[in-house]
Amino acid sequence: MIWKLGERLEQIETETWKETRPPAVFLTDSKNARRDLELAGIQYENEIQTNKIGFCKLETQQECLAGTLCIPRLLDVLGSRYRIYFFVNQDHVVLVDDEDFSMRLIRRIKRKKTHQGETKERFIYNFIAEFMSRDQEILMQYEKILMRMEEDVMQGKIENFQRELMPIRRKLLTLRGYYDEMMDMGTELEENENGFFAKKQLKYFGTLSNRADRLMGRTAHLLEYAQQVRDLYQAQVDAKQNSNMQFLTVLSTIFFPLTLITGWYGMNFENMPELKNGYPGVIALSLIVIVVCILIFKKKKIL
């Protein structure tokens, strides 16, 4: 599919483009990528396989800019990603997408944007900004989850905490790396090494870099917050373990003298005090030891 730049992204036929050759945006797939790159006057020697795209990057070549986008699915950040090639030369933009993600983005741009794609710089800005438009909302959802987890920990609800926290940390780490890549891409576009972009239009790419930088900063903040919540959880676990150890210590302290008494009278020495008919006396002595230990523990606020 081909759209003219500056005509609200209306679709036109390939034959018409061949005759008039207006600046255009091509949307194609891997099978037809070579043909459409040739129509756009772009030569790209490397293989084009979207399933091998692993991260977002931009390469400056002599005749074009060649980039890849590896975009996390916001509802499944740790799952499969949207993978897109894009190529830019003096007049044209070519998108290679084997799914319908790029098509859906363009349709959303057509519905939402007044200035859709008067220039290739504006189109690239709208395209990238559109798939990053909901990221702030997703990060806010992660923040709410962490706040709820923090409240649960404060209330002593720590069951399944680690199982819930670890996926969130992995998602945030994934998003932080993704935003770092997008920030680098925006910077490289703004550098305009090949001179494909008008200087007065470079502000759009600076805006993209700033947006990615803000998102990365927000993600880094959430990672720090997640670590603080984890530290709070660990403190609660340690406090609970200390409480258990304290209880066991109290029991051990109480039963130690009782064990000594029973062991002593179990020896059956001939001259042992209260050896004969001493059972009530041993019971009384044991009760006195227990009461004294409890009073001492309460005085020291251990109980």
Side-chain angles (χ1 to χ4, degrees):
M1 295 184 180
I2 308 169
W3 289 269
K4 289 181 182 179
L5 290 171
E7 295 192 7
R8 297 181 62 81
L9 299 177
E10 296 297 334
Q11 184 179 350
I12 61 175
E13 297 296 331
T14 303
E15 290 76 8
T16 306
W17 180 86
K18 287 181 179 178
E19 294 174 2
T20 60
R21 298 182 69 83
V25 176
F26 292 75
L27 177 56
T28 185
D29 55 24
S30 298
K31 295 181 179 179
N32 300 305
R34 295 293 178 186
R35 180 200 66 187
D36 290 328
L37 285 174
E38 184 178 351
L39 289 174
I42 296 175
Q43 293 185 355
Y44 183 70
E45 297 180 355
N46 297 334
E47 62 180 1
I48 300 177
Q49 296 183 12
T50 56
N51 60 343
K52 292 188 177 181
I53 296 176
F55 45 88
C56 304
K57 67 175 183 177
L58 183 67
E59 296 179 358
T60 302
Q61 301 188 359
Q62 188 171 2
E63 297 182 356
C64 70
L65 295 175
T68 57
L69 295 170
C70 191
I71 307 166
R73 300 173 188 261
L74 294 181
L75 298 180
D76 186 17
V77 174
L78 300 178
S80 61
R81 297 192 178 194
Y82 299 112
R83 293 175 165 84
I84 304 169
Y85 283 96
F86 71 94
F87 303 89
V88 183
N89 65 1
Q90 191 66 43
D91 296 315
H92 308 299
V93 178
V94 179
L95 300 174
V96 182
D97 187 357
D98 289 332
E99 301 183 51
D100 64 344
F101 180 65
S102 296
M103 174 62 73
R104 287 189 280 120
L105 286 178
I106 291 173
R107 286 173 179 167
R108 277 154 52 183
I109 293 171
K110 291 171 69 175
R111 288 197 309 267
K112 294 165 56 177
K113 301 291 184 180
T114 303
H115 301 286
Q116 298 174 358
E118 294 84 351
T119 63
K120 60 180 178 295
E121 297 88 356
R122 182 75 188 193
F123 172 80
I124 294 171
Y125 167 78
N126 283 338
F127 187 81
I128 295 177
E130 186 61 34
F131 66 69
M132 296 177 68
S133 60
R134 293 186 57 221
D135 292 46
Q136 192 71 253
E137 177 184 346
I138 296 298
L139 293 179
M140 288 180 63
Q141 292 180 10
Y142 288 138
E143 184 175 26
K144 290 179 180 178
I145 293 173
L146 291 172
M147 291 174 66
R148 189 260 305 165
M149 294 177 68
E150 183 180 28
E151 292 177 0
D152 289 344
V153 171
M154 292 296 294
Q155 295 174 6
K157 302 176 183 178
I158 57 177
E159 295 80 7
N160 300 321
F161 176 86
Q162 292 281 28
R163 186 181 301 176
E164 188 176 0
L165 180 65
M166 293 308 295
I168 294 177
R169 292 188 71 251
R170 290 177 59 195
K171 290 176 183 179
L172 291 173
L173 286 169
T174 300
L175 289 174
R176 185 178 64 178
Y178 161 64
Y179 295 136
D180 189 26
E181 294 169 7
M182 291 303 302
M183 186 174 64
D184 290 342
M185 179 176 290
T187 301
E188 290 182 32
L189 287 170
E190 191 176 11
E191 288 176 356
N192 193 23
E193 185 175 340
N194 283 6
F196 290 154
F197 305 119
K199 291 185 178 180
K200 63 181 181 180
Q201 303 284 340
L202 295 178
K203 59 184 180 180
Y204 293 123
F205 304 136
T207 302
L208 291 176
S209 297
N210 293 336
R211 177 176 298 186
D213 187 27
R214 289 195 302 271
L215 289 170
M216 187 174 68
R218 182 71 180 276
T219 306
H221 168 73
L222 289 177
L223 281 169
E224 292 177 2
Y225 185 27
Q227 183 60 42
Q228 292 174 3
V229 175
R230 187 178 183 277
D231 292 341
L232 179 61
Y233 160 78
Q234 191 61 48
Q236 291 284 359
V237 171
D238 293 343
K240 188 174 182 179
Q241 290 177 346
N242 290 338
S243 178
N244 292 336
M245 291 299 296
Q246 187 178 30
F247 177 73
L248 293 174
T249 301
V250 169
L251 289 180
S252 300
T253 304
I254 292 175
F255 279 97
F256 179 77
L258 299 181
T259 303
L260 179 62
I261 293 172
T262 56
W264 185 20
Y265 278 91
M267 295 179 188
N268 296 322
F269 290 123
E270 185 174 345
N271 297 320
M272 181 75 66
E274 299 295 337
L275 182 61
K276 296 180 179 180
N277 301 320
Y279 188 66
V282 171
I283 293 176
L285 179 60
S286 298
L287 290 175
I288 292 172
V289 169
I290 292 173
V291 171
V292 170
C293 288
I294 291 175
L295 291 175
I296 292 173
F297 289 138
K298 282 192 173 182
K299 184 177 181 181
K300 294 183 176 294
K301 298 182 179 180
I302 297 176
L303 288 178

